[in-house]
Amino acid sequence: MAILLSTIVFPSTKLPIFNNTQDHAFPSFRHFTGILDSSENKLKEDTEGLADEFDWDSDEWEAELLGEDDDKLELDGFTPAGVGYGNITEEVLERAKKKKVSKAERKRMTREAEKVKEEVTVCARCHSLRNYGHVKNQTAENLIPDFDFDRLISTRLMNPSGSGSATVVVMVVDCVDFDGSFPRTAVKSLFKALEGIKDTSKRGNKLPKLVLVGTKVDLLPSQVSPTRLDRWVRHRASAGGAPKLSGVYLVSSRKDLGVRNLLSFIKNLAGPRGNVWVIGAQNAGKSTLINAFAKKEGAKVTKLTEAPVPGTTLGILRIGGILPAKTKMFDTPGLLHPYLMSMRLNREEQKMVEIRKELRPRTYRIKASCLLLLSFSILDAGQAVHVGGLTRLDLVEASVETIYVTVWASPNVSLHTGKIENAEEVWNNHVGVRLQPPIGNDRAAELGTFQEKEVKVSGSSWDVNSIDIAIAGLGWFSLGLKGEATMKLWTYDGVEVTLREPLVLDRAPFLEKLGFWLPKAISDAIGNQTKLEAQKRKKLQDEDTEYVGAGAELSA
């Protein structure tokens, strides 16, 4: 009968297994006793070592011995439920692993995440533009070459690559300075090519689709209805040479008006593999519009630098994350319009003419003396309206007694109304001081030659404006009259002047008085300067008095 001995395991000791057969005999009892004694001593030493290392009264020692964490231990011989058990998914398990945090802690973590997200490394030029609104080194800025639209973009648009890709051109125009910001000269070749190719041709199907976007509508007077503005914008675009447009949208990137509808239209027009080019004049609002697109879509893209400084964007930028699939969007540098009045000004003067709030009208009633000439009368030797030291409108001749002139310009620009015969003297004595901008007596000579341009106007009603005289980069005059008149517009050589249909029909609810109208900043500066001059005069008088008194005492 064979007897099988199982293996007996002790710490660091293992007894051999004996299969007792007729050929083997059992070891002696003394041999087993020696082995048991040595195993007991070894176990005692190991136990004493563990006693020094662990606190046996705690609940942690078992996990330490097993080398596992509490949440990984088997429960009553069963493993925790995993993926596939009931409704448990990997997402459920991930949520279970997350630590519970308080509401205040979650808010703090969210703020820190947003702060990290906003911290983007930018160049020194963009940093200065974003935080201070100007460039540090104007000399280096003047060395940057102008953007050549015809060479870099126009050829690409007329010869698009890819068989199924659509090209969309988004033309951004500033509604407050529509004629000054409309990219008429820069895209002349594009417009001409589009007009010359019929839609039925094979190539015509691949030509770019034009979308006109009028921005900054929140700066226009509230009495301008959307319907009238849309019709007026289409009419001015056609007058500027634009061919048939695929769409016209009026938006405000700052107030988030019309941005969603515009973005949806662009997506449908471009398709899944199209190219979208955003073009426009300098400071027309292209980068601001693209940032509004990114915010609307929640796209994780670096915010483009926005600044009221012409030429903020220097090169073509590809913007990802806004349009779906493989559709691409490109932001382009602002097109240079040298005929803008604002291009002549320095940064401080540009801030004065920049329109940042809703425009408010300022209306004057201009009259002239009557000269009798046989059977009819002509009003002659009228009045003049100065807009800062930048432009002047004279009433030279009229068939009516009264003309209403409404000035639409920044409220930071000073105005003056008086007789034409005194206009030259007023301009010479007050330009750069009371008539600002420009700032400083010598700045006017640096802006160019002050020239006159004759303008003939006519109207059928005094109740509404009949015609606008727009000065690019500054603002416009609206004239209300019932008859005909000859005006003279004075401005610097090279600045564009446009006669157009009136944008706003209504004039101001009250009339301005003749003389100076000064913004608070200019008025305060003049007041402070007057006080300083008075103090200097008083000091000189006191010194003269003391000197005379001292001389009298010496003579006595």
Side-chain angles (χ1 to χ4, degrees):
M1 180 176 181
I3 300 176
L4 179 64
L5 292 179
S6 300
T7 303
I8 301 175
V9 180
F10 292 97
S12 305
T13 306
K14 183 176 180 181
L15 294 179
I17 297 175
F18 294 94
N19 292 326
N20 188 31
T21 60
Q22 297 295 334
D23 301 327
H24 299 279
F26 279 109
S28 64
F29 179 75
R30 183 175 298 175
H31 178 74
F32 273 112
T33 303
I35 292 176
L36 290 173
D37 290 341
S38 62
S39 300
E40 183 178 357
N41 293 335
K42 182 65 176 176
L43 180 61
K44 185 176 181 181
E45 293 175 0
D46 293 342
T47 303
E48 289 176 355
L50 288 174
D52 296 335
E53 185 176 354
F54 297 109
D55 181 9
W56 296 98
D57 294 331
S58 68
D59 297 330
E60 300 178 359
W61 69 271
E62 184 176 2
E64 292 287 347
L65 286 176
L66 295 175
E68 298 178 353
D69 297 332
D70 291 340
D71 56 350
K72 295 182 180 179
L73 293 178
E74 295 184 359
L75 304 176
D76 297 331
F78 296 94
T79 60
V83 177
Y85 183 85
N87 295 327
I88 296 178
T89 61
E90 293 183 358
E91 185 179 354
V92 173
L93 295 180
E94 288 296 327
R95 285 202 302 266
K97 292 179 181 180
K98 293 181 179 179
K99 295 182 179 180
K100 294 182 178 180
V101 294
S102 63
K103 188 176 181 179
E105 183 67 14
R106 284 200 303 271
K107 288 183 177 180
R108 185 188 65 80
M109 294 170 64
T110 303
R111 286 195 300 268
E112 291 181 353
E114 292 178 352
K115 184 177 180 181
V116 172
K117 182 179 178 180
E118 292 176 356
E119 290 178 353
V120 180
T121 303
V122 297
C123 66
R125 181 178 182 273
C126 288
H127 177 79
S128 181
L129 287 170
R130 290 184 178 189
N131 295 279
Y132 307 109
H134 62 82
V135 292
K136 289 184 176 181
N137 192 342
Q138 188 61 46
T139 304
E141 192 78 7
N142 295 334
L143 296 176
I144 298 175
D146 295 335
F147 179 69
D148 191 344
F149 177 86
D150 289 337
R151 184 175 63 85
L152 296 177
I153 295 182
S154 183
T155 53
R156 299 186 189 182
L157 297 181
M158 299 310 302
N159 299 285
S161 59
S163 57
S165 61
T167 301
V168 179
V169 179
V170 180
M171 294 189 299
V172 180
V173 183
D174 183 357
C175 285
V176 178
D177 185 22
F178 190 92
D179 294 280
S181 63
F182 188 78
R184 182 172 54 255
T185 304
V187 296
K188 183 179 179 180
S189 58
L190 175 62
F191 288 168
K192 185 177 180 180
L194 289 173
E195 281 291 333
I197 299 176
K198 297 181 180 180
D199 295 337
T200 55
S201 65
K202 294 182 179 180
R203 190 184 175 195
N205 295 330
K206 293 182 61 178
L207 289 178
K209 303 171 184 177
L210 303 182
V211 180
L212 180 62
V213 179
T215 60
K216 306 180 184 180
V217 296
D218 56 305
L219 301 180
L220 293 176
S222 56
Q223 60 261 43
V224 181
S225 66
T227 303
R228 173 174 174 77
L229 180 59
D230 181 84
R231 184 184 66 81
W232 186 88
V233 166
R234 291 176 184 272
H235 182 266
R236 294 311 306 160
S238 178
K244 182 179 179 181
L245 301 171
S246 299
V248 175
Y249 282 81
L250 306 172
V251 304
S252 169
S253 303
R254 298 292 186 189
K255 297 293 183 68
D256 193 22
L257 301 175
V259 176
R260 184 184 297 277
N261 293 338
L262 171 60
L263 183 58
S264 177
F265 181 78
I266 292 175
K267 288 180 179 179
N268 294 333
L269 210 59
R273 302 176 66 88
N275 297 322
V276 178
W277 296 82
V278 183
I279 67 172
Q282 294 180 353
N283 206 29
K286 302 180 302 301
S287 298
T288 306
L289 179 63
I290 293 176
N291 285 334
F293 285 160
K295 183 178 180 181
K296 186 64 65 177
E297 288 294 294
K300 297 180 179 180
V301 297
T302 302
K303 184 178 180 181
L304 300 179
T305 300
E306 305 171 20
V309 178
T312 298
T313 304
L314 296 181
I316 299 174
L317 302 177
R318 178 177 174 180
I319 313 298
I322 297 178
L323 299 178
K326 296 184 179 181
T327 309
K328 306 178 188 69
M329 176 176 284
F330 300 93
D331 183 21
T332 61
L335 303 175
L336 180 63
H337 288 183
Y339 47 78
L340 294 177
M341 177 70 78
S342 55
M343 297 295 293
R344 310 286 184 93
L345 309 178
N346 58 36
R347 184 61 200 127
E348 293 303 317
E349 294 164 347
Q350 287 176 351
K351 289 180 180 179
M352 296 181 70
V353 301
E354 180 187 351
I355 299 172
R356 303 181 184 181
K357 297 181 180 180
E358 180 181 331
L359 278 171
R360 301 293 182 185
R362 286 166 286 176
T363 302
Y364 295 90
R365 183 169 58 190
I366 297 179
K367 294 184 178 181
S369 59
C370 181
L371 299 179
L372 295 178
L373 297 176
L374 298 178
S375 61
F376 63 93
S377 64
I378 296 179
L379 297 178
D380 200 2
Q383 295 173 321
V385 179
H386 292 84
V387 179
L390 302 178
T391 188
R392 187 181 95 207
L393 183 66
D394 297 348
L395 172 57
V396 177
E397 189 177 275
S399 63
V400 292
E401 184 179 355
T402 301
I403 293 180
Y404 292 97
V405 178
T406 301
V407 180
W408 299 94
S410 168
N412 298 317
V413 177
S414 60
L415 304 177
H416 178 270
T417 303
K419 295 181 179 180
I420 291 180
E421 57 191 38
N422 300 327
E424 192 72 21
E425 181 182 357
V426 170
W427 194 85
N428 290 330
N429 293 338
H430 298 285
V431 65
V433 183
R434 278 184 167 84
L435 294 178
Q436 291 189 26
I439 303 174
N441 299 328
D442 301 331
R443 277 287 294 151
E446 300 174 3
L447 299 181
T449 305
F450 210 52
Q451 297 179 344
E452 65 179 66
K453 178 180 181 180
E454 187 176 273
V455 179
K456 294 185 178 295
V457 297
S458 62
S460 58
S461 175
W462 281 295
D463 297 329
V464 296
N465 295 320
S466 303
I467 193 170
D468 283 353
I469 304 176
I471 299 92
L474 177 61
W476 71 93
F477 296 101
S478 292
L479 306 181
L481 72 160
K482 190 174 183 179
E484 297 179 349
T486 300
M487 319 288 290
K488 277 188 178 179
L489 182 73
W490 294 78
T491 189
Y492 295 98
D493 59 316
V495 175
E496 186 179 74
V497 178
T498 305
L499 296 180
R500 68 190 190 189
E501 175 189 358
L503 172 59
V504 186
L505 296 178
D506 302 326
R507 56 175 180 260
F510 56 87
L511 300 177
E512 300 289 343
K513 296 180 181 180
L514 300 182
F516 281 100
W517 184 95
L518 300 179
K520 187 177 183 303
I522 297 178
S523 179
D524 292 345
I526 293 175
N528 294 333
Q529 184 66 24
T530 303
K531 288 180 181 179
L532 291 175
E533 292 177 356
Q535 291 174 0
K536 289 181 180 179
R537 286 196 299 269
K538 186 176 183 302
K539 185 177 180 181
L540 291 175
Q541 290 175 358
D542 292 343
E543 290 177 354
D544 292 342
T545 303
E546 292 177 359
Y547 179 78
V548 172
E553 291 178 358
L554 289 175
S555 62

